[in-house]
């Protein structure tokens, strides 16, 4: 497990500028703007996404079935070149062994969104389920026409 400081340095240096809109520092130079990185380990699913151009309330994370969707939008605002508005949506397909209800999101001070969920252990051996015969007919399964 990486500590925040090990993954994304807290200090700023050289040409990196403060992003005064979101209160976060710019993403590290080695993590390109808008970049996404996916990591699958034996026990964990992780995705990292640069959202440094957005404030936390402009970012939405949701799961739908086995999909993990991250979207962000900000209205037109002034930057050093003029006015800009941004919007994106990125969707990840969760591995079959990841429970969508267990996904957690954390935003670092430099605008990197960390999405994380544990991976469940491999499934055990197949289970045989006994078939029980009912004395009553099932009239709702195949209604007569």
């Amino acid at each position: 497990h990486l500590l925040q400081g090990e993954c994304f340095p807290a200090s700023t240096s050289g040409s990196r500028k403060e992003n005064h809109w979101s209160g976060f520092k710019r993403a590290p130079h080695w993590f390109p703007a808008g970049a996404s990185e996916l990591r699958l380990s034996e026990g964990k699913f992780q995705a990292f996404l640069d959202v440094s151009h957005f404030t936390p309330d402009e970012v939405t994370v949701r799961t739908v079935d086995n999909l993990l969707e991250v979207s962000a939008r900000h209205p037109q605002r002034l930057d050093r070149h003029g006015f800009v508005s941004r919007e994106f949506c990125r969707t990840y397909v969760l591995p079959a062994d990841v429970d969508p209800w267990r996904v957690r999101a954390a935003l670092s001070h430099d605008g990197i969104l960390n999405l994380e969920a544990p991976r469940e252990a491999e499934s055990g051996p197949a289970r045989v389920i006994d078939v029980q015969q009912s004395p009553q007919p099932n009239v709702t399964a195949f209604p007569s026409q």
Side-chain angles (χ1 to χ4, degrees):
H1 185 9
L2 295 174
L3 298 175
Q4 184 175 358
E6 293 174 327
C7 191
F8 306 111
S11 65
T12 58
S13 63
S15 64
R16 282 196 238 156
K17 296 183 168 112
E18 294 288 321
N19 180 341
H20 62 276
W21 292 109
S22 66
F24 293 106
K25 297 177 182 126
R26 299 289 299 173
H29 68 283
W30 48 267
F31 200 86
S36 173
E37 181 182 327
L38 199 56
R39 292 183 192 168
L40 293 175
S41 66
E42 200 172 301
K44 189 188 307 185
F45 163 87
Q46 278 186 299
F48 299 94
L49 184 61
D50 174 16
V51 295
S52 60
H53 293 291
F54 302 92
T55 62
D57 60 325
E58 293 170 339
V59 178
T60 302
V61 178
R62 68 185 195 137
T63 58
V64 179
D65 299 324
N66 70 328
L67 300 177
L68 172 60
E69 180 183 275
V70 180
S71 58
R73 178 183 182 147
H74 75 67
Q76 193 172 74
R77 59 175 81 151
L78 183 63
D79 72 0
R80 65 185 181 166
H81 302 287
F83 291 91
V84 64
S85 62
R86 292 182 180 90
E87 180 176 12
F88 81 90
C89 182
R90 179 173 295 278
T91 302
Y92 301 95
V93 178
L94 293 171
D97 60 353
V98 171
D99 179 356
W101 288 95
R102 299 193 63 195
V103 174
R104 298 290 174 253
L107 187 59
S108 68
H109 66 90
D110 50 4
I112 303 300
L113 184 64
N114 176 9
L115 305 162
E116 187 174 301
R119 295 181 77 182
E120 304 298 325
E122 291 292 320
S123 59
R127 184 178 128 220
V128 176
I129 300 170
D130 291 332
V131 176
Q132 303 293 321
Q133 186 171 7
S134 171
Q136 303 294 324
N138 188 337
V139 294
T140 60
F142 300 104
S144 60
Q145 296 182 357

